[in-house]
Amino acid sequence: VTVVEDEALAARRTNLGITEDLAGCHTAVAEGLILEGHVPPADVLRFLRERPADAIGLAVPGMPTGSPGMGPEGSGPAYEVLLLRKNGAPETYARH
């Protein structure tokens, strides 16, 4: 893992196809796939294993309470992990 503090993160997100409404507080690229926000590790592993057709990544917009790193898991309201595809609207990949 290489951590890079990116002064132009907003521009990088745009180049990756992450719109402002999908942005979280962290952006990662793993094996060419985007992981945006506080995506639970189990969802990351499942996603990398399954590699859905036309998928470009997963996103958890914002910083939902109860997501990994944002307080005890499950402590906030339910939140969704969104599947991002090359073309098309995001769709629910997982709900926590």
Side-chain angles (χ1 to χ4, degrees):
V1 174
T2 302
V3 177
V4 177
E5 296 295 329
D6 192 343
E7 304 257 341
L9 184 56
R12 183 170 309 280
R13 282 185 177 133
T14 298
N15 290 337
L16 290 170
I18 303 296
T19 57
E20 192 172 317
D21 61 318
L22 296 174
C25 59
H26 308 287
T27 303
V29 178
E31 299 178 21
L33 299 166
I34 303 160
L35 301 168
E36 179 67 25
H38 291 254
V39 180
D43 293 340
V44 173
L45 293 173
R46 179 179 146 216
F47 177 69
L48 292 174
R49 185 175 60 250
E50 292 177 350
R51 296 184 183 259
D54 296 331
I56 63 168
L58 296 177
V60 175
M63 295 172 32
T65 302
S67 63
M70 295 304 298
E73 288 192 36
S75 64
Y79 67 93
E80 293 183 339
V81 176
L82 302 176
L83 174 65
L84 311 176
R85 295 188 185 272
K86 290 179 185 172
N87 299 304
E91 57 193 74
T92 301
Y93 185 74
R95 188 168 172 82
H96 299 278

